[in-house]
């Protein structure tokens, strides 16, 4: 079998809240790259009928469910951000399940490389399963401004999310590539396009 030669290598894409991860991810999709988003996978594993959702309800009670039986993410987020031990429990439950979903999906990629997008790529240890890490970086003031503009939330909650996420320096320490997203969308696309052409020259994610 020669199919192993076509196994795509995996690029891990991460960045703090409001850094522009999603916009970067969308550009990779426009360029024809197979992509899976950890947030999507996180939704798949807690769909009604999945064991993870039953475990969450058992621990936190029916108040974390919407009327239609779906997970009420906002209610759960408030519970776990107020209590680091609860957040740790949830991460230990979900990370392995999310990982299984993600890597089985990535293995089906038809493009020369595939992109795995996760805000917790490094914290979860899943960067170890990727061949290369791309960090989308932005000044913290810009991260806060973008998040406030996008989400119906308070500056305090945005700061709490930033504090809970990995320190910027630590994230950058793990990066093979960094895109500084402090300009407009066209500037971001230009940087992603340039990296894409470079990535197409790589075998296994390394020059």
């Amino acid at each position: 079998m020669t199919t192993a030669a076509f196994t795509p290598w995996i690029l891990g894409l991460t960045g703090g809240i409001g850094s522009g991860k999603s916009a970067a991810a969308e550009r990779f999709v426009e360029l024809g790259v197979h992509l899976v988003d950890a947030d999507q996978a996180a939704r798949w594993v807690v769909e009604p009928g999945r064991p993870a959702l039953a475990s969450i309800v058992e621990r936190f009670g029916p108040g974390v469910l919407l009327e239609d039986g779906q997970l009420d993410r906002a209610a759960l987020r408030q519970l776990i951000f107020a209590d680091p031990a609860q957040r740790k429990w949830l991460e230990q439950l979900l990370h392995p399940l999310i990982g299984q979903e993600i890597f089985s999906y990535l293995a089906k990629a038809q493009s020369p490389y595939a992109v795995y997008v996760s805000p917790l790529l490094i914290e979860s240890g899943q960067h170890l399963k990727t061949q290369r890490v791309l960090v989308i970086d932005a000044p913290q003031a810009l991260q806060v401004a973008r998040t406030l503009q996008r989400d119906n939330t308070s500056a305090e909650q945005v700061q709490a999310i930033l504090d809970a996420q990995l320190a910027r320096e630590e994230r950058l320490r793990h990066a093979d590539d960094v895109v500084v997203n402090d300009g407009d969308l066209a500037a971001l696309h230009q940087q992603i396009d340039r990296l894409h052409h470079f990535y197409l020259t790589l075998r296994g994610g390394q020059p």
Side-chain angles (χ1 to χ4, degrees), residues 10-69:
I10 299 169
L11 173 70
L13 171 61
T14 193
I17 187 170
S19 59
K21 279 187 310 298
S22 300
E26 283 167 22
R27 186 59 178 172
F28 279 111
V29 172
E30 286 166 9
L31 293 167
V33 182
H34 189 93
L35 179 142
V36 64
D37 187 313
D39 290 342
Q40 286 174 341
R43 282 193 282 277
W44 299 334
V45 300
V46 293
E47 281 174 352
R50 290 289 195 98
L53 184 58
S55 298
I56 290 168
V57 174
E58 192 178 320
R59 186 167 182 103
F60 296 103
V64 295
L65 290 179
L66 296 167
E67 284 181 19
D68 62 0

Side-chain angles (χ1 to χ4, degrees), residues 40-160:
Q40 286 174 341
R43 282 193 282 277
W44 299 334
V45 300
V46 293
E47 281 174 352
R50 290 289 195 98
L53 184 58
S55 298
I56 290 168
V57 174
E58 192 178 320
R59 186 167 182 103
F60 296 103
V64 295
L65 290 179
L66 296 167
E67 284 181 19
D68 62 0
Q70 299 274 348
L71 181 64
D72 184 340
R73 292 173 175 281
L76 183 62
R77 195 180 300 126
Q78 284 191 322
L79 288 170
I80 64 170
F81 271 117
D83 187 339
Q86 297 284 35
R87 185 168 78 238
K88 192 171 168 62
W89 177 87
L90 187 68
E91 287 173 359
Q92 286 174 339
L93 169 74
L94 295 181
H95 281 166
L97 298 172
I98 293 167
Q100 287 165 19
E101 291 271 353
I102 285 161
F103 290 99
S104 66
Y105 185 79
L106 287 171
K108 298 170 188 158
Q110 298 297 308
S111 45
Y113 70 98
V115 178
Y116 166 40
V117 187
S118 173
L120 297 172
L121 183 77
I122 294 155
E123 295 93 316
S124 66
Q126 288 181 340
H127 66 291
L128 299 171
K129 296 183 182 177
T130 68
Q131 281 71 60
R132 198 171 183 90
V133 173
L134 167 60
V135 170
I136 309 297
D137 190 43
Q140 193 170 93
L142 193 52
Q143 288 180 265
V144 173
R146 283 178 181 152
T147 307
L148 288 173
Q149 194 176 3
R150 184 190 67 197
D151 299 347
N152 182 19
T153 188
S154 66
E156 290 74 25
Q157 188 158 26
V158 176
Q159 192 59 51

